[in-house]
């Protein structure tokens, strides 16, 4: 499993930041099967057009890799607003 939580300005936050109330939107990436877990904490799944450029690139790269290696599973980009 993997988790990346990042504030909009690019500062990496620890995984437990999912429980904090950020002053700015907090973005995370996770495997699709973890989506319901983060929804409980106020995160919502973003569509590609809603993602900041960094996460859009990461999402596209993950989709490409997933086509080559389906065992990787799908990636979600999620956001928690203040």
């Amino acid at each position: 499993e993997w988790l990346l939580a990042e504030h909009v300005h690019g500062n990496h936050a620890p995984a437990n930041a999912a429980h904090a109330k950020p002053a700015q939107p907090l973005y995370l990436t996770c495997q699709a099967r973890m989506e319901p877990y983060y929804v409980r904490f106020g995160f919502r799944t973003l569509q590609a057009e809603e993602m900041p450029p960094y996460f859009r690139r990461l999402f596209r790269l993950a989709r490409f890799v997933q086509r080559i290696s389906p065992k990787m599973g799908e990636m979600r980009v999620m956001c928690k607003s203040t």
Side-chain angles (χ1 to χ4, degrees), residues 19-60:
H19 304 289
K21 280 203 162 200
Q24 303 161 347
L26 180 66
Y27 297 90
L28 66 81
T29 61
C30 65
Q31 293 179 350
R33 64 185 179 82
M34 295 300 294
E35 184 177 7
Y37 175 80
Y38 291 107
V39 167
R40 296 185 321 189
F41 298 103
F43 284 87
R44 68 179 186 85
T45 302
L46 299 178
Q47 300 300 315
E49 59 273 1
E50 298 178 275
M51 297 174 192
Y54 169 80
F55 286 100
R56 194 174 312 123
R57 286 190 302 269
L58 189 63
F59 179 72
R60 288 178 181 154

